[in-house]
Amino acid sequence: MALNSSSAADVVPTSPAFRLKGGLFPLTLLEIRRYSQPEFEQDLLSKVAEAPAFFQQTPVILSFEMAVAEAEQVPLAELVELCRSNGLRPVALRGGSKELKKQAETLQLALMPEGRVKVDAAVSPEGTAEPVAAKAAATDAAAGIDAAAGSGADRPADSAENGAGGGNKIITTPIRSGQQVYAAGGDLIVLAAVSTGAEVLADGNIHIYGALRGRALAGVRGDTSARIFCQSLEAELISIAGDFKLHEDFRGQWWKKPVQVSLTDDILAIEALSK
Amino acid sequence: MAKIIVVTSGKGGVGKTTTSAAISSGLALRGHKTVVIDFDIGLRNLDIIMNCERRVVYDFVNVINKEARLNQALIKDKRADNLYILPASQTRDKDALSKEGVEQVLEELAKDGFEYIICDSPAGIEHGAFMALYFADMAIVVANPEVSSVRDSDRILGILQSKSRRAEQGERVEEYLLITRYSPERVAKGEMLGVGDVEEILATKLLGVIPESESVLKASNQGIPVIHDQESNAGKAYSDAVSRLLGDNVEHRFVTIQNKGLLQRLFGRSA
């Protein structure tokens, strides 16, 4: 990897040209269950078509922890090339046979330590899959991507399940003016107030266990069944799947009341949470 | 271990420098070795409030640029033994502050045995304010009881908990709210937000409520931090705030309308 020379070095010659810092970055796991070139390509193409923006230079980790035994025989170079041509940037390998790891080294992929739960993928029960999905919660935009390698037919509820387990976000501290929080692929739960000038977004539902004073947008990727729940409605704007209401639209009856907001017959409906 | 406290607000003119001067003096008067740093490069004010403007030789930027040693720039306060002031540079701008430079100065101060390092932040949310809050362990957010000030405080609290060093390390900056220029009479008339309203909006621990007081302006002009004026309500309120900062449980005073006695009314000045 090329290192850019630090411009600071020109000014202060005594300081080193770089420094090492730790960082935590969301990474997407691409869990391969089985591999045959045409099937993989087909599934990948259909995934890309769903969210083209997501597949631009997106770094992914190729995970073989869920793979059936034969999948470990994959020609890794071919798989990596397929990913690259579709916008993904495989950066590392996780799991897999010795042979696979050797291939990864020649392809200059990093080797990641394996997760704690080694799942026998041939069985792949719903329960055991969850911890892995939870780890993939590191991906900020994980929505349904883990289905990329599978046909989806064997686990129909797959993306919904993982959407719920993977993308949920729980925030325990107040969300302040100027801050924006987005729960991609799941629900957003806030156990404090959302200030005026703050914005909360979720692909799924939004729950605010405090006053909602800022803007709340649920179902931002078009999920019309998403809802907003809050303890005290004082919002600037509420929106579900693009339909929105402004502060002056609910200033009267529902102001400072615990309510839920849903989209019923294309109309944003507000109703009391409790009597 | 030195505790770094930033006094910040987002908005200007709410009393950050007055508060920095009062709190640092209060801590020093109680025997804690304290330094107060003016981060308002280019708009130096702290030295005036602390009455040391004619004793400034070297400043914070000189130290960062290694043009002077730290103890050459530190000014010893004349009223409180344990208090030192690190003045801002008046001739430079805020870009003179680098993260590495500030960190080095703070580390050196900690090594010198300072218990409290008070960072007096400039207004705004730009570089200068960011430098002042980045290394903070604790923040005193100063707000006036009015809507725009409260919103700016909210914004700065958000920045503190997301952009500071502690936030980067996954920790929280301890946050306190200090309401200044409070007038219970005007709250009663509905002209001002009440303490409860501000507390509710900001959801932050209340460090103190400083009543609107003529003694604050007088103290600034005379260069005596108002906490030294223990006759004034503002001075007493700052003393209480320092006690709370040190962990004491002190009840809030001056938050309700006080009926003035006949003598006080005749002589005007509140005790």
Side-chain angles (χ1 to χ4, degrees):
Chain A
M1 188 194 287
L3 272 176
N4 292 324
S5 71
S6 160
S7 60
D10 305 328
V11 190
V12 190
T14 48
S15 70
F18 65 87
R19 63 173 177 161
L20 289 169
K21 283 182 80 173
L24 282 172
F25 301 95
L27 270 179
T28 303
L29 279 183
L30 196 124
E31 285 177 353
I32 289 122
R33 299 213 185 89
R34 55 182 187 276
Y35 182 81
S36 72
Q37 201 258 354
E39 186 197 11
F40 184 84
E41 185 166 18
Q42 185 54 45
D43 289 342
L44 195 56
L45 279 174
S46 62
K47 259 306 148 195
V48 172
E50 275 175 38
F54 181 79
F55 290 87
Q56 284 174 8
Q57 316 278 329
T58 308
V60 293
I61 296 177
L62 301 175
S63 167
F64 282 85
E65 287 175 305
M66 306 283 289
V68 292
E70 311 86 79
E72 309 219 334
Q73 311 298 322
V74 307
L76 197 60
E78 182 186 293
L79 198 156
V80 166
E81 194 40 51
L82 268 177
C83 289
R84 291 218 170 113
S85 58
N86 284 292
L88 294 176
R89 295 285 175 270
V91 291
L93 179 80
R94 188 175 183 183
S97 60
K98 267 192 188 149
E99 165 59 24
L100 265 180
K101 285 176 181 159
K102 220 186 219 169
Q103 288 189 48
E105 273 178 53
T106 41
L107 289 165
Q108 304 203 332
L109 293 182
L111 295 178
M112 303 293 276
E114 293 180 32
R116 270 176 298 154
V117 215
K118 179 74 181 166
V119 183
D120 184 3
V123 188
S124 185
E126 297 285 337
T128 38
E130 264 182 26
V132 183
K135 259 175 247 154
T139 77
D140 243 358
I145 216 186
D146 75 315
S151 66
D154 52 346
R155 290 170 63 189
D158 196 85
S159 51
E161 286 268 336
N162 281 297
N168 291 346
K169 220 177 220 176
I170 300 181
I171 310 280
T172 54
T173 53
I175 300 178
R176 305 289 186 181
S177 185
Q179 288 186 311
Q180 191 186 49
V181 178
Y182 176 35
D187 287 5
L188 177 65
I189 297 131
V190 182
L191 298 163
V194 176
S195 292
T196 315
E199 190 169 65
V200 289
L201 308 102
D203 288 344
N205 308 306
I206 295 179
H207 310 252
I208 313 287
Y209 295 94
L212 170 57
R213 303 194 177 99
R215 298 152 62 96
L217 298 94
V220 291
R221 281 211 254 176
D223 181 0
T224 51
S225 67
R227 293 184 182 201
I228 299 171
F229 307 86
C230 67
Q231 285 295 331
S232 177
L233 180 67
E234 304 167 40
E236 297 168 311
L237 176 148
I238 46 174
S239 157
I240 292 173
D243 269 304
F244 68 90
K245 268 196 168 137
L246 283 170
H247 160 264
E248 60 244 34
D249 301 327
F250 46 80
R251 177 89 214 192
Q253 193 184 357
W254 306 110
W255 195 246
K256 294 200 175 181
K257 296 275 186 334
V259 299
Q260 64 161 317
V261 185
S262 58
L263 201 58
T264 320
D265 303 329
D266 287 339
I267 292 166
L268 212 55
I270 305 177
E271 53 190 307
L273 264 184
S274 53
K275 294 280 172 336
Chain B
M1 192 56 202
K3 191 155 212 170
I4 303 173
I5 306 177
V6 61
V7 178
T8 183
S9 70
K11 201 169 191 63
V14 295
K16 284 182 295 296
T17 302
T18 301
T19 299
S20 300
I23 298 280
S24 56
S25 298
L27 287 167
L29 287 173
R30 295 184 197 199
H32 299 284
K33 194 174 176 193
T34 305
V35 57
V36 52
I37 308 176
D38 192 350
F39 274 79
D40 207 346
I41 311 296
L43 289 169
R44 183 171 87 195
N45 280 163
L46 183 72
D47 55 322
I48 301 176
I49 311 272
M50 306 289 294
N51 196 19
C52 63
E53 71 267 33
R54 279 180 287 278
R55 294 161 63 205
V56 175
V57 183
Y58 295 108
D59 57 50
F60 192 19
V61 174
N62 291 140
V63 179
I64 286 176
N65 293 343
K66 304 212 171 8
E67 294 150 6
R69 276 176 289 118
L70 181 59
N71 55 13
Q72 288 178 301
L74 284 176
I75 302 172
K76 193 173 183 310
D77 187 60
K78 283 193 168 151
R79 289 186 188 80
D81 271 346
N82 296 302
L83 182 60
Y84 292 82
I85 299 125
L86 184 54
S89 172
Q90 182 71 346
T91 53
R92 308 291 286 271
D93 65 34
K94 310 228 169 3
D95 296 332
L97 298 176
S98 66
K99 214 187 248 182
E100 293 73 23
V102 173
E103 185 175 21
Q104 255 174 26
V105 173
L106 292 176
E107 273 173 8
E108 204 178 332
L109 287 167
K111 232 180 279 166
D112 284 353
F114 281 99
E115 289 172 74
Y116 291 97
I117 301 172
I118 312 289
C119 303
D120 180 21
S121 171
I125 52 173
E126 280 76 45
H127 184 70
F130 177 66
M131 283 296 113
L133 68 78
Y134 182 74
F135 296 99
D137 301 310
M138 184 196 270
I140 298 176
V141 175
V142 183
N144 286 167
E146 48 119 359
V147 183
S148 62
S149 172
V150 170
R151 178 182 293 183
D152 291 358
S153 297
D154 192 52
R155 179 93 166 93
I156 208 89
L157 281 165
I159 293 172
L160 263 167
Q161 303 298 8
S162 59
K163 302 268 170 67
S164 62
R165 179 168 65 173
R166 281 212 158 197
E168 283 175 4
Q169 292 167 346
E171 293 170 62
R172 279 181 70 74
V173 178
E174 219 179 318
E175 51 185 49
Y176 285 103
L177 170 67
L178 187 88
I179 302 175
T180 56
R181 309 199 66 169
Y182 193 71
S183 161
E185 290 82 8
R186 298 190 63 189
V187 173
K189 283 189 216 154
E191 298 171 354
M192 206 178 245
L193 289 175
V195 174
D197 299 331
V198 181
E199 254 190 303
E200 196 204 316
I201 297 172
L202 293 179
T204 299
K205 233 184 305 173
L206 187 64
L207 183 68
V209 180
I210 313 299
E212 173 86 75
S213 164
E214 291 161 23
S215 51
V216 173
L217 185 63
K218 196 181 82 185
S220 302
N221 285 331
Q222 291 180 340
I224 309 167
V226 70
I227 201 164
H228 289 288
D229 182 1
Q230 279 301 312
E231 296 292 301
S232 73
N233 286 346
K236 288 179 201 165
Y238 271 120
S239 270
D240 289 357
V242 171
S243 301
R244 288 184 204 106
L245 200 60
L246 293 171
D248 293 346
N249 204 349
V250 187
E251 215 174 307
H252 290 278
R253 297 191 269 178
F254 319 114
V255 291
T256 50
I257 299 176
Q258 285 160 325
N259 291 317
K260 287 181 181 175
L262 181 65
L263 276 176
Q264 280 178 320
R265 255 186 253 176
L266 283 177
F267 294 106
R269 193 180 187 293
S270 56

